[in-house]
Amino acid sequence: MSTTQTPEPPPRPLGIDDLPVRDELRGQSPYGAPQLDVPVQLNTNENPYPLPEALVERIAERVREAARGLNRYPDRDAVELRTRLAEYLTRTGLAGTAVPPLTAAQVWAANGSNEVIQQLLQTFGGPGRTAIGFEPSYSMHGLIARGTGTGWISGPRNEDFTIDVAAACEAITAHRPDVVFVTSPNNPTGTAVAADAVLALYEAAQAVRPTLVVVDEAYVEFSHRPSLLPLIEGRPLLVVSRTMSKAFGAAGLRLGYLAAHPAVVDAVQLVRLPYHLSAVTQATALAALEHTDTLLGYVETLKAERDRLVGELRALGFDVTESDANFVQFGRFEDSRTAWRQILDRGVLIRDNGVPGWLRVTAGTPSENDAFLDAVRDLKKEQSA
Ligand code: PMP
């Protein structure tokens, strides 16, 4: 009698958990909005408009010039770029206030606002320290906290996704975090935060001990409300972070920045890698800053498209969260994952941020938004058939 042996299963490929990685990274997944090749991509809050040709030319010119000096390290302190960013912030965020113009000493730049946030957490968070955010909010705040060994506290929000100021202050008093994140407009909900709410959180945090409060204004150029930037005046532990990924339409550039007291800017120098911002990045960002007026013109178009999406989704019977950003959160779905897939099957990629019952769509060009609206209309029709 012949015995048949069960074949050995193929060896399991080596995985992360087989490596001696830090304990808190075991079993975790990296940040990953799907990058799928579908005709309409409205899932990562990018600006749908390519940079204007005149700016592309200017970038080429500035980068060519920078290329001649690439044998040398770049300006480690990115002084010219920080000066231009300070001017941009003064013009757009401080206009009509009594706050004095910002200087380069109050501005810091890095490779995307994610790196700005990482540097802040490396400086003010870290092992044995904690940070709090009011969720649902930008998931990278918690992920970057974890990556820097900072404990993460998930603070509360109201049913309508606004911040419950009293509950948030209580959470701050109870948990005594070292860093507080306030995202305004918030991602993924689009909700803006009023200045007095930020001030209440700032006071609650300082009443425990000196605490860094980071206002993440990645989407502020799309807001109906003015920037919270004037609040940094007289508040040395209040930081406003910004990005060129959204309003400037330059997500591929990787340029984020912050405005704060010069002492905070000095403090992040303790953790930044030397020469972290390449000469090519600095040259490209400087070129983009020469074209802010054109770029902010696209922002106006996107704001109108955002408002159109809100109106049309409501007319279709969806619940829609008030949006001050370039995206719209809508629902409610019994199963948001299935609805996300059904919209994807119609050629439109939007985002399931894991907020039960809700999905998020980025405002695209008018024709992309039409394609999205056709897809959800079709879905509604199918469901009511
Ligand atoms: N903050 C918020 C609230 C965001 O949504 C994003 C990007 N989705 C970022 C920061 C990071 O943007 P970047 O690193 O491209 O500047």
Side-chain angles (χ1 to χ4, degrees), residues 31 44-45 111-114 117 138 141 183 187 216 218-219 243 245-246 254-256:
Y31 170 88
T44 48
N45 299 342
N111 295 284
S113 51
N114 282 333
I117 291 161
Y138 182 43
H141 293 154
T183 311
N187 179 12
D216 183 337
Y219 300 97
T243 180
S245 297
K246 314 295 176 179
R254 310 306 302 129
L255 200 288

Side-chain angles (χ1 to χ4, degrees), residues 184 192-196 220 222-228 324:
S184 184
V193 185
D196 52 0
V220 75
F222 301 100
S223 183
H224 300 102
R225 290 174 187 260
S227 167
L228 297 163
D324 275 84

Side-chain angles (χ1 to χ4, degrees), residues 241-254:
S241 74
R242 294 282 196 101
T243 180
M244 293 178 83
S245 297
K246 314 295 176 179
F248 281 81
L253 162 62
R254 310 306 302 129

Side-chain angles (χ1 to χ4, degrees), residues 199-238:
L199 290 181
L201 301 183
Y202 187 83
E203 294 311 324
Q206 307 315 315
V208 179
R209 66 163 104 91
T211 306
L212 195 80
V213 176
V214 182
V215 179
D216 183 337
E217 282 200 334
Y219 300 97
V220 75
E221 285 94 341
F222 301 100
S223 183
H224 300 102
R225 290 174 187 260
S227 167
L228 297 163
L229 190 63
L231 301 185
I232 67 169
E233 176 70 4
R235 292 182 189 84
L237 288 170
L238 198 127

Side-chain angles (χ1 to χ4, degrees), residues 325-345:
N326 65 336
F327 53 82
V328 176
Q329 179 180 256
F330 68 108
R332 303 184 177 193
F333 300 98
E334 252 174 53
D335 176 357
S336 28
R337 194 71 200 163
T338 302
W340 174 83
R341 165 64 55 197
Q342 288 167 328
I343 295 168
L344 179 61
D345 290 343

Side-chain angles (χ1 to χ4, degrees), residues 158 162-172 193-194 196-201 204:
N158 286 317
T162 55
I163 289 192
D164 178 341
V165 179
C169 289
E170 266 173 45
I172 288 172
V193 185
D196 52 0
V198 176
L199 290 181
L201 301 183

